[in-house]
């Protein structure tokens, strides 16, 4: 049964990658005080809430996704007192706060894993993880042929000859969720942060907690490690994971019953089809799960229509709403991804990214915006090897899948690095170097230019919150010429996108309510999206 407190169903959440958002101390790394200082900016943009990347104590082998203590703040980012101040300011501004929780794996410096390394094979301490004997002479080969998502084998050998499983970096041992101690520990973690007032959790690797109990070989281990769309089915999407989410949902509902404020669980669920995705958002499991198919769709109207239709049919059909996303901290930014090629954010890639943003904000359900998306930031593609920090690069030696380029610290002001990102001297160095062309995308410049990405997002968010046709609901596709995608929301709100480069007649004759680029009445230019309010009895016919 759905709760009546449903703020999350059409919320727009801003993803804050803490170390790259705003640095308050001058050490070149963003922190919680920087997030707190940026809250008025985010309130002005118009988002409903923020999702904070991990800020827990961590050796930072994977930038905080290797957690050493789930119930504290790393001194790099502040302390619990600073977190409480952030929560108080967010509550005063009406901005909800989600934390990133990492239940699939921890840090190799977590006390329980250090205890496991010191313990003997077969011990209770090792049973919290996946330790196994090797194969071949003297157990010198890994227990199976699984590959890490970050490249290389998914097993590392320890001094006494056993091996431990890590589906990501070797510094990120996987928890054994078949051990009840693990679930009990995460109950404690959830309640610790819920008691501090958080509004919910983004759940990392939400489909990956359970592994096949026999740990058998994979039929195609290299394919399993290439993308999360082809992950190892023996280590992913096991049926037992759904019981965890039912339990976590019950914990959140317990807090909602106390004060009427609904806490959100949104999962990073990487499964091949919308139908499998839908299993995670049944009424007693996760409230929502990121729908990555739109993010991975090529710039093509048929591809976009297919993934939107499947999501609306399979995911919304569960009673949940679709959670749309175009960018995040693991993916090449849209400005670059949609370019042919786009290197510094100008031209075709930028026009398509603007159009995609209006499309996403017009879709039924919730949407997540990744920091810098509202500035039109491109991927930084020319970072030298000696500054790269992504463990994928360290494990593979390849730049093909590295994520540093979308994590470069934000430009806030000025004409040269650090662009106001750090409060230190002008010579302070951000943890990743900012290219000189970031000056074009600085926040102060974006706020002053009504044609900027920022104003497009702000105007779209304002209309989304004020028009009853937008937000939660359904859509109806409209007949369009080739290369154009158009749909109706509610009573007469039409969104159309021209995926081609040549102008085409607009599906609605009047002047658009909002458009991603110059859009005269009756015309939809190439690589442009627009919203209209119109009487459809005199416009395009419904399909």
């Amino acid at each position: 049964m759905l709760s009546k407190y449903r703020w999350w169903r059409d919320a727009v959440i801003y993803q804050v990658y803490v170390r790259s958002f705003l640095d308050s101390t001058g050490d070149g790394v963003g922190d919680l005080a920087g997030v707190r200082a940026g809250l008025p900016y985010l309130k002005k943009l118009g988002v409903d809430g923020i999702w904070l990347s991990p800020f827990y104590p961590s050796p930072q082998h994977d930038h905080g996704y290797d957690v050493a203590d789930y119930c504290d703040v790393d001194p790099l980012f502040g302390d619990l007192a600073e977190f409480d101040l952030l929560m108080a300011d967010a509550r005063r501004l009406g901005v909800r706060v989600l934390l990133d929780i990492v239940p699939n794996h921890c840090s190799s410096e977590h006390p329980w894993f250090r205890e496991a390394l010191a313990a003997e094979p077969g011990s209770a301490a090792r049973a919290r993880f996946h330790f196994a004997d090797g194969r071949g002479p003297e157990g010198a080969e890994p227990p199976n042929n699984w590959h890490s998502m970050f490249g290389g084998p998914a097993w590392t050998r320890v001094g006494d000859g056993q091996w431990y499983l890590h589906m990501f970096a070797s510094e990120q041992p996987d928890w054994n969720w078949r051990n009840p101690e693990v679930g009990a520990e995460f109950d404690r973690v959830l309640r610790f942060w819920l008691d501090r007032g958080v509004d919910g959790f983004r759940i990392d690797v939400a489909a990956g907690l359970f592994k096949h109990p026999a740990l058998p070989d994979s039929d195609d281990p290299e394919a399993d490690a290439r993308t999360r769309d082809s992950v190892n089915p023996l280590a992913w999407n096991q049926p037992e994971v759904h019981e965890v989410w039912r339990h976590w949902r019950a914990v959140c509902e317990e807090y909602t019953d106390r004060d009427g404020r609904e806490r959100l669980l949104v999962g990073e669920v990487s499964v091949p089809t919308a139908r499998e995705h839908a299993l995670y958002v049944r009424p007693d499991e996760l409230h929502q799960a990121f729908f990555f198919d739109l993010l991975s769709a090529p710039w093509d109207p048929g591809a976009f229509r297919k993934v939107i239709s499947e999501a609306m049919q399979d995911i919304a059909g569960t009673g949940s709403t679709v959670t749309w996303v175009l960018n995040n901290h693991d993916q090449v930014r849209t400005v670059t991804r949609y370019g042919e090629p786009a290197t510094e954010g100008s031209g075709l890639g930028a026009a398509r990214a603007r159009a995609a943003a209006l499309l996403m904000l017009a879709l039924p359900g919730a949407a997540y915006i990744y920091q810098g998306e509202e500035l039109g930031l491109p991927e930084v593609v020319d970072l030298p090897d000696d500054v790269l920090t992504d463990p994928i690069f360290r494990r593979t030696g390849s730049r093909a899948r590295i994520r540093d380029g979308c994590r470069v610290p934000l430009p806030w002001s000025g004409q040269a690095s650090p662009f106001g990102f750090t409060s230190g001297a002008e010579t302070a160095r951000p943890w990743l170097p900012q290219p000189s062309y970031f000056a074009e995308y600085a926040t102060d410049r974006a706020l002053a230019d009504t044609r900027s990405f920022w104003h497009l997002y702000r105007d779209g968010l304002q209309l989304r919150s004020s028009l009853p046709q937008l937000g939660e609901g359904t859509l109806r596709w409209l007949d369009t010429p080739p290369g154009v995608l158009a749909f109706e929301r509610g009573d007469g709100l039409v969104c159309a996108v021209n995926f081609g480069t040549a102008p085409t007649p607009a599906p609605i004759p009047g002047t658009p309510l909002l458009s991603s680029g110059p859009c005269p009445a009756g015309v939809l230019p190439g690589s442009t999206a627009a919203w209209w309010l119109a009487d459809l009895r005199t416009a395009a016919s419904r399909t």
Side-chain angles (χ1 to χ4, degrees):
M1 180 177 178
L2 290 175
S3 169
K4 63 181 179 180
Y5 309 105
R6 292 146 46 105
W7 64 267
W8 50 271
R9 294 181 66 82
D10 59 1
V12 177
I13 307 295
Y14 186 97
Q15 181 189 353
V16 176
Y17 195 70
V18 176
R19 65 186 297 121
S20 295
F21 185 71
L22 186 60
D23 169 26
S24 72
T25 63
D27 65 357
V29 178
D31 47 50
L32 293 181
V35 177
R36 186 158 67 97
L39 284 176
Y41 163 81
L42 298 175
K43 178 67 174 180
K44 185 174 183 178
L45 181 62
V47 298
D48 299 298
I50 58 175
W51 146 33
L52 301 175
S53 64
F55 51 77
Y56 318 109
S58 164
Q60 302 294 316
H61 290 295
D62 189 24
H63 298 157
Y65 285 91
D66 49 323
V67 181
D69 181 350
Y70 289 86
C71 295
D72 205 348
V73 176
D74 195 299
L76 184 67
F77 303 118
D79 55 27
L80 283 170
E82 184 60 49
F83 175 80
D84 291 340
L85 290 173
L86 169 60
M87 286 299 306
D89 281 6
R91 189 73 64 224
R92 176 176 55 82
L93 290 171
V95 175
R96 299 179 189 270
V97 178
L98 309 181
L99 303 192
D100 203 325
I101 193 165
V102 189
N104 178 72
H105 49 266
C106 65
S107 167
S108 54
E109 295 188 16
H110 190 284
W112 278 10
F113 190 72
R114 296 175 71 176
E115 180 185 352
L117 290 179
E120 295 182 352
S123 63
R126 289 200 174 181
R128 298 167 177 153
F129 302 92
H130 296 278
F131 278 85
D133 294 328
R135 300 190 295 192
E138 300 181 348
E141 298 296 325
N144 64 30
N145 65 353
W146 295 2
H147 279 230
S148 162
M149 296 291 293
F150 285 174
W155 295 90
T156 290
R157 201 175 194 190
V158 300
D160 58 28
Q162 278 205 312
W163 300 73
Y164 69 87
L165 179 69
H166 51 86
M167 295 307 297
F168 295 90
S170 57
E171 297 87 358
Q172 295 169 289
D174 279 39
W175 291 108
N176 177 12
W177 272 85
R178 297 183 189 281
N179 185 324
E181 288 187 69
V182 174
E185 174 63 7
F186 275 92
D187 273 11
R188 182 183 75 87
V189 171
L190 291 180
R191 292 180 184 280
F192 178 87
W193 294 109
L194 289 169
D195 288 343
R196 296 191 98 89
V198 302
D199 295 285
F201 302 93
R202 177 265 184 186
I203 304 166
D204 189 61
V205 194
L209 273 57
F210 284 83
K211 280 67 180 173
H212 190 290
L215 301 176
D217 276 346
S218 170
D219 292 336
D220 190 358
E222 293 185 2
D224 293 337
R226 277 198 291 268
T227 71
R228 291 194 179 185
D229 289 334
S230 59
V231 289
N232 183 345
L234 301 170
W236 221 263
N237 202 24
Q238 295 286 300
E240 297 92 334
V241 75
H242 295 283
E243 288 303 317
V244 175
W245 307 138
R246 290 186 181 99
H247 177 69
W248 284 27
R249 179 67 174 261
V251 171
C252 287
E253 295 291 349
E254 174 188 325
Y255 281 78
T256 298
D257 289 343
R258 293 180 190 174
D259 60 15
R261 184 165 58 88
E262 190 162 29
R263 278 67 167 184
L264 169 64
L265 296 174
V266 55
E268 181 194 33
V269 175
S270 303
V271 291
T273 67
R275 185 166 297 178
E276 290 172 281
H277 181 115
L279 297 177
Y280 286 82
V281 293
R282 289 175 287 192
D284 62 343
E285 295 195 36
L286 302 179
H287 298 81
Q288 292 177 322
F290 297 115
F291 186 65
F292 294 123
D293 290 34
L294 191 64
L295 181 153
S296 60
W299 185 253
D300 174 81
F304 269 61
R305 177 164 176 164
K306 179 177 184 293
V307 299
I308 293 168
S309 295
E310 289 178 351
M312 293 301 299
Q313 174 180 316
D314 294 327
I315 298 170
T318 66
S320 179
T321 54
V322 185
T323 305
W324 308 101
V325 57
L326 289 170
N327 295 271
N328 65 30
H329 65 295
D330 289 329
Q331 302 295 331
V332 174
R333 290 185 179 274
T334 49
V335 168
T336 301
R337 200 165 73 235
Y338 292 150
E340 293 183 343
T343 56
E344 294 186 2
S346 60
L348 190 58
R352 289 173 170 177
R354 291 172 63 93
L358 273 196
L359 169 67
M360 178 181 71
L361 293 177
L363 291 171
Y368 278 66
I369 298 170
Y370 176 50
Q371 67 179 40
E373 179 180 339
E374 82 283 7
L375 301 176
L377 282 183
E379 188 84 356
V380 181
V381 297
D382 54 356
L383 292 168
D385 287 358
D386 62 353
V387 305
L388 297 178
T389 62
D390 194 325
I392 294 176
F393 180 72
R394 174 169 50 84
R395 290 180 63 85
T396 67
S398 169
R399 301 173 66 98
R401 295 168 51 214
I402 60 172
R403 302 161 294 170
D404 287 320
C406 67
R407 300 176 175 185
V408 175
L410 294 183
W412 289 87
S413 61
Q415 298 300 313
S417 182
F419 297 111
F421 165 71
T422 176
S423 62
E426 287 300 309
T427 56
R429 298 179 61 183
W431 70 277
L432 280 174
Q434 300 160 305
S436 60
Y437 61 78
F438 262 31
E440 302 173 29
Y441 304 95
T443 299
D444 61 349
R445 182 176 293 193
L447 289 171
D449 181 2
T450 58
R451 301 166 299 175
S452 70
F453 266 81
W454 191 91
H455 280 273
L456 178 71
Y457 273 81
R458 196 278 304 269
D459 293 347
L461 289 172
Q462 286 186 339
L463 286 171
R464 182 182 167 100
S465 66
S466 63
L467 293 175
Q469 294 93 333
L470 294 175
E472 184 180 356
T474 60
L475 64 77
R476 286 185 263 187
W477 295 108
L478 305 179
D479 286 334
T480 57
V484 176
L485 196 64
F487 54 84
E488 175 198 1
R489 293 297 319 280
D491 184 14
L493 189 287
V494 171
C495 173
V497 183
N498 184 352
F499 283 77
T501 56
T504 186
I508 300 297
T511 301
L513 187 66
L514 181 63
S515 63
S516 62
C519 191
V523 177
L524 185 59
S527 306
T528 299
W531 296 354
W532 292 265
L533 278 173
D535 183 350
L536 292 186
R537 290 173 296 183
T538 60
S541 62
R542 299 168 182 165
T543 58

